[in-house]
Amino acid sequence: MSAPMQESNPEKENAISGESKENPENPTEVKEESKTESELDKYWKAVNDNPTDFTGWTYLLQYVEQENDIDGARKAYDEFFLHYPYCYGYWKKYSDVEKKSNNMEKACEIFERGVKAIPLSIDLWIHYITFYIAEFGENEGAEEKIRKLYERSVEASGTDFKSDKLWDSYIAWENSKNNLKRVTQLYEKVLNIPTQLYSHHFEGFKNHIRKHHPKETLQLDEFLKLRQEVVISSKDEHVDDGGADELPPGDDQPPGVDIPPGLEDTNSVGDKDEAIKVQERVIELREIIYKQNENEVSKRWGYEEAIRRPYFHVKPLERSQLKNWREYLDFEISNGSHERVVVLFERGMIACGLYEDFWMKYAKYLEQHSTSGVRNVYKRVCQIHLPKKPYIHLAWAAFEERQENYTAAREVLRGIEQNVKGLVMVAIRRISLERRQGNHTEVEQLFEEYIRTAATPTIRSFFSIKYARYLQKLKENADKARTILKEAISHDQKNEKLFMQLLDVEYQCHPIQIDKVMELFENAFKSDIPKTSKVKLSQRRMEFLEDFGNCVKVITEAYDEHQKLVKDMTSDSRKRSADSSEGSVEKKSKTEPSSNGASGDASIKSHTSTTDPSSYDYHWDAYSNSAYYNPHYYNYSSYYQQQY
């Protein structure tokens, strides 16, 4: 029986929509409506401020339900499912809200939306079908519509390991309609599917076959074929034994006693025996399938038993659960059919929908099978489940670029950049995408925008170095590269990487301009970079002068300045060591020079081990093994997680 239509309440509706009207006859009612509006606004504010606050959403949904406000409930549920479509129980609640307001068609639409959002939800399918039978089961053509619903449900989720109650429901419904041959067909399907209650289905099949005559449960072609096998087998068993079964002489039946054709008793002993043999033959043939299916079930039983939370929840899963899902997926990929792999992935996404690596694994698997399937997976995870996870968005953008769908790739990158402001990795990917497409104007605009909006001088320097490399290596514009780096140095004078990159620009010039390089070194020594960095630059300057310098006097002066820098660094190092080991004679003794003049600090020893300029080792091991000889010196990987 449908619930009665709820009467509308214009005052309450106005209060919720912010359009309450004063009622001079009942001021108390106005105050209550204002209170209602205020409470609703508070619940909405909580979820608007933090859409990932699952508990806040549940409070909002509880509130609109108890207020019996259908419009408010629709708005709340619709917004909720934009963030949490895998919560099958709330689809049922939403449908119940519509049903309570006697909106049966709308309730049916909600179920439709629900099974499309979470097609593997056995419970949601059963709720939907039960509702449809109760509300529309007596309508004209309802039987065929119900059957279509069942068919959709088993097609979507019938291969789920725990889909047994859906199959039982379908079989029971067809039995209630006395569609015995359809029941047989359903058993045929489920006996080929590894499910938890596989033996229960086989027992049900045997009872079904033995309970009815084979003509009622089997398709005609199969019945005639099996009957023929039984008849032939019976003839072979009853060979001619010399007339032992013939009537004795004189006991012949009198003429006219034979039963005319068409009037035989189909319940005769002979017919029953034949029917039983056909039934047993049917079961015998299906038992072969049952044994094969049992073997498949045993392979998956351990994985299935380890699953503790098959439904969606915002709470993190235990590591053991995640490990089990990963191993189960790997097993199914190696041993199962494509259909079963997809179903297991979809099951896994319900339980592990907040874990980025599962979606990545799913998309990677589907790349071998369906481009549209991969795109669908990326859309679901990036637009619904994980809108603020950068790596999955970068993977989606790379996929679209591989498909030469460059517009979509740009949109994906812009989308994550809007959701999570200032991610360096996204900025670099946007720049790289445009560079690969030859859009150099766009590349320069992006670089300049990111430099201008950088949150810290360090991030600004990162983009400046990247930009300078691009300008020099690809655009052959060394002048602009110098300008970009010098501007960055003015904002980040302690960043030695900027000086090194500027030095690289000068090194790449043909011919090399010695005066500009020396000017760069001088500016670096006057800057606020650490003394250790100045010592490294000083080493670099000496090597430069040895390779390209024209005056030995300049080389000697550079060496003297280098020794002074080393001495200053040594003094600072000893001072820090003394301060840190105050009160500890043992620690202090390790930092003092030994009797032979060696220092306890290995790095200081390497700088002061020689005092004769003519014996200076320009190929000093510590220097030749330093970061400046390493092509990966400019390793900015630590910034990729930072925000600019």
Side-chain angles (χ1 to χ4, degrees):
M1 189 79 179
S2 301
M5 178 72 76
Q6 298 292 322
E7 294 183 2
S8 61
N9 189 334
E11 288 79 7
K12 184 176 291 186
E13 293 174 0
N14 290 336
I16 294 174
S17 64
E19 299 176 358
S20 60
K21 298 179 181 180
E22 295 185 1
N23 185 352
E25 297 179 359
N26 192 349
T28 304
E29 183 179 349
V30 175
K31 291 181 181 179
E32 290 178 354
E33 290 168 2
S34 298
K35 179 182 177 182
T36 302
E37 178 184 5
S38 177
E39 290 179 358
L40 181 60
D41 287 343
K42 288 178 181 178
Y43 285 121
W44 269 112
K45 184 177 186 304
V47 296
N48 286 333
D49 291 345
N50 183 13
T52 61
D53 180 10
F54 184 81
T55 303
W57 281 107
T58 62
Y59 288 148
L60 172 62
L61 296 178
Q62 289 172 4
Y63 181 81
V64 295
E65 284 180 30
Q66 72 186 20
E67 289 299 308
N68 294 322
D69 172 31
I70 188 63
D71 291 332
R74 287 172 179 169
K75 180 181 178 183
Y77 273 107
D78 288 343
E79 288 292 325
F80 170 78
F81 286 123
L82 292 178
H83 302 281
Y84 300 106
Y86 281 163
C87 294
Y88 82 89
Y90 284 93
W91 287 108
K92 171 68 165 54
K93 285 176 175 283
Y94 190 4
S95 181
D96 287 343
V97 169
E98 295 290 356
K99 180 180 177 181
K100 186 177 179 181
S101 297
N102 206 30
N103 300 323
M104 298 307 171
E105 293 292 340
K106 192 72 176 178
C108 193
E109 290 177 13
I110 300 305
F111 273 122
E112 274 293 328
R113 288 172 55 190
V115 296
K116 287 179 180 177
I118 182 171
L120 279 176
S121 176
I122 307 300
D123 291 317
L124 189 58
W125 277 111
I126 291 176
H127 283 312
Y128 182 14
I129 295 169
T130 302
F131 163 81
Y132 195 92
I133 292 173
E135 300 300 331
F136 305 101
E138 301 300 323
N139 294 355
E140 184 179 353
E143 181 175 334
E144 190 58 32
K145 291 180 180 179
I146 293 169
R147 183 173 290 112
K148 286 182 178 179
L149 266 181
Y150 270 119
E151 282 298 314
R152 286 173 56 200
S153 68
V154 295
E155 183 179 355
S157 58
T159 54
D160 191 322
F161 190 81
K162 296 183 178 180
S163 61
D164 303 287
K165 57 184 176 181
L166 180 60
W167 286 104
D168 285 345
S169 175
Y170 193 1
I171 290 169
W173 181 79
E174 290 289 10
N175 257 324
S176 70
K177 302 298 179 183
N178 203 35
N179 296 322
L180 301 182
K181 292 182 180 179
R182 290 186 180 276
V183 170
T184 304
Q185 291 173 346
L186 291 177
Y187 274 121
E188 291 273 5
K189 291 180 180 179
V190 74
L191 288 177
N192 283 278
I193 300 172
T195 66
Q196 186 177 30
L197 303 182
Y198 69 100
S199 59
H200 157 76
H201 296 307
F202 188 54
E203 290 300 319
F205 173 74
K206 291 191 291 185
N207 292 335
H208 166 69
I209 292 298
R210 288 168 176 163
K211 186 177 180 180
H212 307 283
H213 194 281
K215 290 190 299 183
E216 298 175 345
T217 59
L218 301 178
Q219 296 296 323
L220 180 59
D221 290 343
E222 184 180 9
F223 169 69
L224 294 177
K225 178 182 177 182
L226 294 179
R227 181 183 176 278
Q228 185 178 18
E229 292 178 6
V230 168
V231 169
I232 293 174
S233 176
S234 298
K235 286 182 178 179
D236 292 340
E237 292 174 1
H238 297 84
V239 294
D240 186 7
D241 57 1
D245 294 333
E246 293 180 359
L247 291 173
D251 290 342
D252 294 340
Q253 293 285 355
V257 175
D258 292 341
I259 301 174
L263 297 180
E264 301 96 332
D265 182 7
T266 56
N267 292 319
S268 64
V269 174
D271 184 71
K272 284 183 178 179
D273 290 342
E274 182 181 279
I276 291 173
K277 290 180 179 179
V278 172
Q279 290 170 344
E280 294 306 314
R281 180 58 178 159
V282 170
I283 293 173
E284 180 184 344
L285 292 173
R286 270 57 173 192
E287 189 168 9
I288 297 173
I289 299 173
Y290 166 74
K291 292 295 184 182
Q292 294 172 342
N293 194 40
E294 184 177 43
N295 182 48
E296 294 299 316
V297 170
S298 65
K299 294 177 182 177
R300 295 164 174 82
W301 193 267
Y303 297 115
E304 291 289 346
E305 283 291 293
I307 297 173
R308 294 289 177 265
R309 197 180 80 187
Y311 53 87
F312 172 83
H313 203 287
V314 294
K315 292 181 180 179
L317 274 172
E318 297 88 349
R319 290 186 178 180
S320 59
Q321 289 286 286
L322 296 172
K323 181 175 181 289
N324 181 67
W325 276 111
R326 293 189 184 101
E327 292 177 351
Y328 195 0
L329 286 166
D330 290 338
F331 164 80
E332 203 67 66
I333 290 172
S334 301
N335 299 277
S337 65
H338 173 62
E339 181 186 8
R340 290 201 60 81
V341 172
V342 170
V343 168
L344 185 60
F345 263 117
E346 289 294 339
R347 286 178 62 197
M349 292 309 101
I350 295 173
C352 312
L354 298 181
Y355 293 88
E356 201 172 14
D357 62 306
F358 281 90
W359 291 99
M360 298 276 279
K361 188 182 186 75
Y362 192 8
K364 183 178 180 181
Y365 168 78
L366 284 179
E367 282 198 40
Q368 310 167 35
H369 301 274
S370 170
T371 299
S372 61
V374 176
R375 186 171 288 118
N376 177 264
V377 167
Y378 279 128
K379 283 182 178 180
R380 286 159 56 196
V381 60
C382 293
Q383 296 177 359
I384 299 174
H385 301 283
L386 300 174
K388 293 188 177 183
K389 292 287 187 177
Y391 288 109
I392 193 71
H393 285 78
L394 295 179
W396 185 11
F399 166 76
E400 295 294 358
E401 188 175 356
R402 291 197 299 272
Q403 308 306 313
E404 300 183 355
N405 192 353
Y406 306 115
T407 300
R410 292 186 183 97
E411 291 175 354
V412 171
L413 294 175
R414 290 194 195 101
I416 184 60
E417 198 168 50
Q418 290 174 359
N419 286 335
V420 185
K421 302 292 184 181
L423 283 176
V424 172
M425 67 176 78
V426 176
I428 292 300
R429 185 62 64 85
R430 285 191 66 192
I431 292 169
S432 300
L433 173 61
E434 300 302 338
R435 177 183 56 77
R436 287 189 289 270
Q437 298 308 305
N439 300 327
H440 295 291
T441 300
E442 182 68 19
V443 169
E444 295 189 22
Q445 289 176 351
L446 286 172
F447 266 126
E448 291 167 4
E449 176 66 16
Y450 291 133
I451 290 172
R452 183 181 63 81
T453 59
T456 66
T458 303
I459 302 301
R460 181 190 180 100
S461 298
F462 168 80
F463 283 115
S464 297
I465 290 172
K466 289 282 188 179
Y467 192 15
R469 287 178 181 172
Y470 166 81
L471 290 169
Q472 182 185 18
K473 305 295 185 181
L474 294 182
K475 302 298 290 181
E476 298 182 353
N477 190 344
D479 290 337
K480 190 169 182 179
R482 289 190 190 96
T483 301
I484 294 298
L485 290 170
K486 289 178 180 178
E487 177 67 19
I489 289 173
S490 68
H491 292 85
D492 189 13
Q493 295 185 6
K494 294 184 179 181
N495 194 329
E496 65 177 279
K497 297 179 178 65
L498 291 170
F499 289 100
M500 296 306 299
Q501 186 60 43
L502 189 53
L503 185 61
D504 184 67
V505 171
E506 301 300 343
Y507 262 73
Q508 299 301 319
C509 291
H510 302 285
I512 193 167
Q513 301 180 40
I514 297 176
D515 292 340
K516 284 190 175 183
V517 176
M518 293 303 294
E519 180 184 357
L520 172 59
F521 280 124
E522 291 301 321
N523 291 336
F525 296 142
K526 294 176 183 178
S527 70
D528 294 332
I529 62 175
K531 287 184 180 179
T532 53
S533 299
K534 290 181 179 180
V535 170
K536 294 175 184 177
L537 282 170
S538 179
Q539 294 167 353
R540 188 72 177 268
R541 179 176 65 173
M542 287 189 294
E543 184 181 75
F544 171 79
L545 288 172
E546 185 69 20
D547 292 341
F548 304 105
N550 298 321
C551 179
V552 69
K553 180 181 178 181
V554 175
I555 298 176
T556 305
E557 291 174 351
Y559 174 75
D560 291 340
E561 291 180 13
H562 176 75
Q563 292 299 316
K564 185 177 184 301
L565 283 171
V566 171
K567 183 178 180 181
D568 290 343
M569 187 177 70
T570 303
S571 177
D572 291 345
S573 176
R574 287 176 175 174
K575 183 178 179 181
R576 288 192 301 271
S577 179
D579 291 341
S580 64
S581 60
E582 184 177 356
S584 175
V585 177
E586 181 181 355
K587 291 183 179 179
K588 184 176 180 181
S589 64
K590 292 181 180 180
T591 63
E592 292 177 346
S594 63
S595 59
N596 61 3
S599 170
D601 189 327
S603 64
I604 296 173
K605 179 180 177 181
S606 65
H607 287 298
T608 59
S609 59
T610 168
T611 57
D612 183 2
S614 63
S615 64
Y616 180 79
D617 183 5
Y618 287 98
H619 298 284
W620 174 54
D621 291 341
Y623 171 54
S624 62
N625 292 327
S626 70
Y628 300 112
Y629 277 84
N630 187 341
H632 302 291
Y633 172 74
Y634 299 107
N635 182 4
Y636 276 87
S637 61
S638 60
Y639 299 127
Y640 271 65
Q641 292 290 353
Q642 298 188 31
Q643 295 185 334
Y644 58 84

